Structures are given as C-alpha cells and as structure tokens.
Amino acid sequence: MSGYHDDDIKVLTGLDPVRKRPGMYIGSVDNVGLHHLIWEIFDNSVDEVIAGNASIIKITLKKDQSIIVEDNGRGIPTGINKSTGLSSIDTVFTVLHAGGKFDENAYKTAGGLHGVGASVVNALSEAVIVQVKRDGKIYESRYVNGGKIAQPSKIVGDTTNRTGTSVWFKPDKTIFKNPTFNPTTIEERIRESAYLYKGLSIIFENQIDDVKKEFKSETGISEYVAFINEDKTKLNKIAYFQGMADTVQVELALQYTNSSSEIIISFANSVKTRNGGLYVTSFKSTLTECINNAARKWGLLKDRDKNLEGEDAREGLTTIISVRVPEKIIQYKNQTKDELSTPEAASAIKKIFGEKFKSWLDENKKEAEKIIDKALTARDARVAAKEAREDVKALKNTGKRTTIKGSKLTPAQSRDYSNNEVFLVEGDSAGGTAKLARDKIHQAILPLRGKFINVEKAKLKDLLANDEFNTIIAAIGTGIGSDFKIENLKYGKIVIMTDADVDGSHIQTLLLTFFYRFMKQLIETGHIYIAMPPLYKFTNKNSKVSQYVWDDTGLEALKAKTTNFEIQRYKGLGEMDAKQLKETTMHASTRQIIKVSIEDAALAERRVTVLMGDNAQIRKEWIDANVDFAFEGD
C-alpha cells in the first residue's frame, strides 16, 4: 500500500471550536447541515475512488437515524502518528485539520474537506464508531459526546483479506434539534456522484423503509445530462469533451433543448460548487465566444449586428462540468466549498473546451445552426422584454398604470426589510382575513385573484404583461432575470399561502415555477416559504379542548384516543377567522412554515419540466404516482 502511511497524516491544530460554531464548518445546523455530515464522510470515500483505490461505497440509513458510510479503499493508516502520539485513526477523528489530504503523496486530488471532515462529524455526533480493514486486521475506535475517545484504536479481528473504512455516526441532538435524514436527499446526491465516476458502484440501504438500491453509471456525465433532459425536446446529441491542461483534468458534457432556462452544474474533485467559480465563468465566456465566431463565419450574424450576449448563447443549455485539481493548487472561496477560485482550472477550461467546442461546431454544423438560431431567437425575446419593462416604467411614471395597486398590497410598516414578510395569499377573501391577522409592523399582504399564466411556456415579455406576476415582481423589488438584484429585496421571507386543495396546490406550483425560472436566487438564499394552514380543527367534546391538525395521520391518532369528538375540515383559508389564521399560519411562534430549497438542481429541473411542460401524459403519470391531495372530509 505505497503512498499512504502513518507519517502521511499531518496535524495542524486542535478540535473543540467545531461545537461552538458548527456553521463555520458545515454551513448550518438545519436539515442541510445535518445531511452535510454524510457528505463529509462520503467525500473521503470518494477520494479513495479518485485515487484509484476503491470501487464500492455503501451508505446505510439505520432505523435510529444513524448513518454508516463504508468503502473498499485502502483503509485509514493504523499505526501511531508521531505528531500526536495517538493512532492515526484517532488522530484523523479527534484532531481538527489532521488527515491525508495535507500530503500530496497520499492524495494527488481530493474532494474531502482537507482532513477536516472526519473530525467535524465526530465533534457534532453523540457517538461514532470507526472500523478499518487493513494489513489483514480489523481495527476499531469509538468516540462519544462530541469526539471524546471512549475506545482508542485497537485490533478487534485478524482474519480479513479485505481493506476499507467504515464510519458509523449518530448526530448530536443538542446540535441538531430534529436529526431526521431524508432518504430522497441521500439518493439524489448518490445518483449525482455515480454519474461523476464511470463504473463506481454506490449502494444505498434505507433500513427505515426496507429499500436497497444500487447506483452505477457506465457513461458518466453524459448520462447525467440525458437524465436531466429526458422529458425535453433536444436540439443536438449530447456533446462530450475531456482533456488535461495545467495539471487540471476537465470533463464536460452539454446539450441544448427547447427550454428557455439554462442549467450549469459544476464539480471540483467530485464536490458540487453551487456558486461555480472562476472555471464556470471561463466556460460561459468561452461558449459565448465560440458561438459568436461560428455565427459570424456562417453569416448568421451580420457585420452590423451586435454579438450575442451570454444569456442568449446559453438559453436551453444543460451542462455538467467536472474538474479534478491537484491538492497543492486547489483553492475554494469558503470552507463549505461552494465556489472554486483556482485560476488554473479556469485556464484549463478555456484551453480544452475552447478548442474542442470550436471543432464540434464545425463538425456538427446542422445541429450548431439550430443552437445559433435558438440564441438569435433568445436575443430577440430579450430585446422585446427590455422594451416591455421600459413600457411598464413609462406607464407608471405617467400615472396611467401602477404596478402595485394600492387596493391590493397592504405593506408592512417597518423599514427593516430583512425582518419583514410578504404573504402571497390566494383570493380576496383570505387576503382580507390575513390583513386582520397580520403583524402590521413586519407583515405585508398581497392577495392574488387574477389568472396566472404558465411561466414554463411563457416568454419574459408575456410574463411582464400578466397583472398578477407583474404585481409580485414590483412588490418584491429585486427585478427578474438578468435585471435581478438581491440587494433590492424588500422582504426577508416571501410566503406562499394557499388553500389546502387542488387549486391551491396548482397556484403553489405556478408560483414556485415562476421563482425557480426567473428569481432562482431567492430560493437558493432561503427567502421563499410555503405556509402550512391546518387541515382540521379537532375538539374533544368532553373536555371542550380544541387543537389544530395538519395531516390525516395526526387526525387518526387523535380519533383513536378520543371517544367523543368533533372535527372541522378547513377546505380553504377563508373558513378560518383572523384569530385562527394568525395562530395557525401567520404568527412566528405558533405557525408551521416550510422553507423552499433546491438540494438537487437536476431533479428540480426534471420535476418542473414534467409538471409545467407540454407533455400532458407524462404530467398525469407523475401526479398520479407522486401527489396525494388531502381528502375532503367525512
């Protein structure tokens, strides 16, 4: 096992600060941060795959909400580390900034958090058990209460001819208030990782639901693009490019569809960079340059025409970018690795993709002309939308039209925008009740009563002509599309509040599609919420005590232990008075509310395409399989 030994484990500093400021290391202590614990350990296993030493990774979700991550890699070194006097296993799991990632002889490229991940998971867990198979023996270490060594590394078996590392951990309830893992979230990340490494087998065993699945891709990121675009009309066959420059390995797959949106998903050493970075910027500029050059060469852009802009060239584009960068030069903007700032990766993209995409355009001229024609159409739509925005501003300035009708928006009194909320309420009746129920200082009410258009099929010009969307845009203040500016946001929370029925679900879907397509950053930064009005009011007729119930499971539980009861089914927001609406749905200390997030951009794109696209049969099949509208009462 050359290249990975006890002396490869380098120690930088100690451990305790993680429990004091967990957000610095995992981003947050909400549901996203909870799942990040899995990825910290999982990425270490992936690093063994990158190094060519592992082919199988397994994640097990136990019934007690603990997790096991195991691989068939080399196994963590097991001897005594000379810097700490501890075994190398105990060093990796109890000392912050200790790991094999600091020595390029152990890992040329790596996605794990530079040796931080294992100790961070230990610090934020109530218990951790590590088993290592190496050199014919099985070693085990145990930790409790945020990283305290309960059992130093010792041999617990000596008959194995296998190698690898297994980590079991149970999150600390004092750090994570509701440590409940979402199997769908885990599956999505596993699927994504399988696409990045051809032939890698990733097994997910969900013991809660008694389900076991294997994820494996034979064609890699090209298959990932196909997965995203499955239900769309394609303009070209998937184009795949790879190469190495400046010690950086580049893989890139792309395809255009008839969609009006763009999807760029980027990875550095298998870790998703949600905010991209220099290499994604380099890809965008290189793509635009190549398309403009081809359009001029073929006479599709005249001398007097301006170049196509980046957003024109990328409309309908789906791209997966994967780079592998040596540890000695890799740079991230922050600890959670949302943005890569390595200049060498940017120059590698420009060189490899620039040369190969130029050749691809020439060799696939028929498909390339379709792409350019779509870009020209996108340019015309952009210009028309700009004119529409200017018309709206002109009408507003002349007093002929106002985009926020005084009779509709009831504003919050506070100018502290970050603490203000706006409720987008279905219907005038519920809007009127919400006005009475609101906190006048911090809550604004915007009733929605007109006809919404399907933004998945509409152009920006049509969207701006729709009164309901136009009013929402003006109320929020950020602008949309290329004009979007998050710093102009007027509300910390934008809350969609609709009836708990089919029509309400449809309005939710339209609004979420609108935010996803034209104000995606509001979702990515956690500003979009869905209010959860109760379905029932349950009254114990003997005790005269009433309580609200949000789902059928809770209702059945109450009915099972109460003999004399009365049930009121709320078919709409309008059936609640102001007091009821306030305490169940609007007051910050008593309401139930869901933050909308995008954990998996590929899956989100597929769902939006299915629900709002042209294929009615696919939409019907998906709704039949996935949507269970609450029943309408006894």
Side-chain angles (χ1 to χ4, degrees), residues 338-398:
D338 291 333
E339 187 172 334
L340 184 72
S341 54
T342 305
E344 290 88 345
S347 60
I349 288 285
K350 183 173 180 59
K351 176 177 175 56
I352 294 166
F353 175 64
E355 292 175 356
K356 293 181 181 290
F357 187 51
K358 178 180 180 296
S359 298
W360 184 90
L361 291 169
D362 288 334
E363 294 165 6
N364 299 272
K365 187 175 179 182
K366 187 175 180 179
E367 291 183 330
E369 286 179 337
K370 289 181 182 179
I371 292 169
I372 293 170
D373 183 61
K374 180 173 178 60
L376 292 169
T377 302
R379 178 198 60 187
D380 295 341
R382 172 175 53 80
V383 172
K386 181 179 179 181
E387 292 172 352
R389 283 193 294 268
E390 290 172 351
D391 288 344
V392 168
K393 291 177 183 177
L395 286 168
K396 182 178 178 181
N397 291 335
T398 60

Side-chain angles (χ1 to χ4, degrees), residues 245-378:
D246 299 324
T247 70
V248 176
Q249 184 177 341
V250 173
E251 265 193 296
L252 196 150
L254 66 80
Q255 184 179 49
Y256 280 84
T257 72
N258 66 344
S259 171
S260 61
S261 63
E262 66 175 82
I263 304 167
I264 300 175
I265 304 175
S266 58
F267 301 87
N269 295 357
S270 84
V271 177
K272 181 186 287 184
T273 50
R274 296 183 183 277
N275 297 329
L278 294 177
Y279 74 122
V280 175
T281 302
S282 177
F283 161 75
K284 290 178 178 179
S285 61
T286 303
L287 175 93
T288 306
E289 181 182 350
C290 289
I291 287 179
N292 273 309
N293 288 343
R296 291 202 179 278
K297 181 170 66 175
W298 298 332
L300 301 175
L301 269 179
K302 307 302 181 184
D303 291 340
R304 65 179 182 275
D305 293 335
K306 292 182 179 179
N307 274 344
L308 294 163
E309 294 188 5
E311 63 183 287
D312 305 327
R314 298 192 304 273
E315 182 173 294
L317 173 69
T318 299
T319 301
I320 308 297
I321 306 171
S322 176
V323 296
R324 298 181 189 176
V325 185
E327 272 297 292
K328 62 182 179 181
I329 64 170
I330 197 165
Q331 301 173 40
Y332 291 97
K333 191 173 182 179
N334 53 35
Q335 180 66 40
T336 53
K337 299 193 169 185
D338 291 333
E339 187 172 334
L340 184 72
S341 54
T342 305
E344 290 88 345
S347 60
I349 288 285
K350 183 173 180 59
K351 176 177 175 56
I352 294 166
F353 175 64
E355 292 175 356
K356 293 181 181 290
F357 187 51
K358 178 180 180 296
S359 298
W360 184 90
L361 291 169
D362 288 334
E363 294 165 6
N364 299 272
K365 187 175 179 182
K366 187 175 180 179
E367 291 183 330
E369 286 179 337
K370 289 181 182 179
I371 292 169
I372 293 170
D373 183 61
K374 180 173 178 60
L376 292 169
T377 302

Side-chain angles (χ1 to χ4, degrees), residues 27-44:
S28 65
V29 291
D30 58 10
N31 196 51
V32 175
L34 175 69
H35 287 81
H36 197 81
L37 297 183
I38 303 176
W39 315 139
E40 296 280 18
I41 303 299
F42 178 76
D43 286 343
N44 289 336

Side-chain angles (χ1 to χ4, degrees), residues 49 55-56 59 74 132 164 194 198 247 271 289 297 303 307 328 332 343 372 383 396 426 449 474 498 569 588 595 597:
V49 175
S55 59
I56 302 171
I59 295 179
R74 292 169 290 182
V132 172
K198 300 173 188 176
T247 70
V271 177
E289 181 182 350
K297 181 170 66 175
D303 291 340
N307 274 344
K328 62 182 179 181
Y332 291 97
I372 293 170
V383 172
K396 182 178 178 181
E426 177 187 356
R449 62 187 178 189
T498 65
R569 169 69 162 95
K595 181 189 288 188
S597 63

Side-chain angles (χ1 to χ4, degrees), residues 368-508:
E369 286 179 337
K370 289 181 182 179
I371 292 169
I372 293 170
D373 183 61
K374 180 173 178 60
L376 292 169
T377 302
R379 178 198 60 187
D380 295 341
R382 172 175 53 80
V383 172
K386 181 179 179 181
E387 292 172 352
R389 283 193 294 268
E390 290 172 351
D391 288 344
V392 168
K393 291 177 183 177
L395 286 168
K396 182 178 178 181
N397 291 335
T398 60
K400 293 181 180 178
R401 177 178 176 181
T402 175
T403 56
I404 307 181
K405 302 174 179 66
S407 61
K408 293 193 70 174
L409 177 69
T410 303
Q413 295 174 0
S414 173
R415 309 298 288 180
D416 181 7
Y417 292 160
S418 63
N419 287 322
N420 285 355
E421 305 173 348
V422 60
F423 286 80
L424 310 181
V425 186
E426 177 187 356
D428 280 343
S429 176
T433 306
K435 291 176 187 177
L436 298 174
R438 73 187 180 112
D439 167 9
K440 295 181 181 180
I441 304 299
H442 292 294
Q443 291 181 332
I445 307 298
L446 181 58
L448 305 174
R449 62 187 178 189
K451 179 177 176 59
F452 289 94
I453 60 173
N454 184 346
V455 300
E456 184 69 4
K457 301 176 182 178
K459 294 296 184 182
L460 186 56
K461 181 180 179 181
D462 302 320
L463 189 73
L464 291 169
N466 180 266
D467 282 340
E468 294 307 302
F469 283 123
N470 201 22
T471 303
I472 293 170
I473 294 165
I476 291 172
T478 58
I480 62 173
S482 60
D483 292 335
F484 182 90
K485 292 182 174 59
I486 190 71
E487 60 270 21
N488 293 336
L489 178 63
K490 295 180 181 178
Y491 301 97
K493 289 185 174 68
I494 300 161
V495 186
I496 301 170
M497 189 161 72
T498 65
D499 293 341
D501 60 10
V502 174
D503 288 339
S505 296
H506 181 62
I507 293 172
Q508 277 186 17

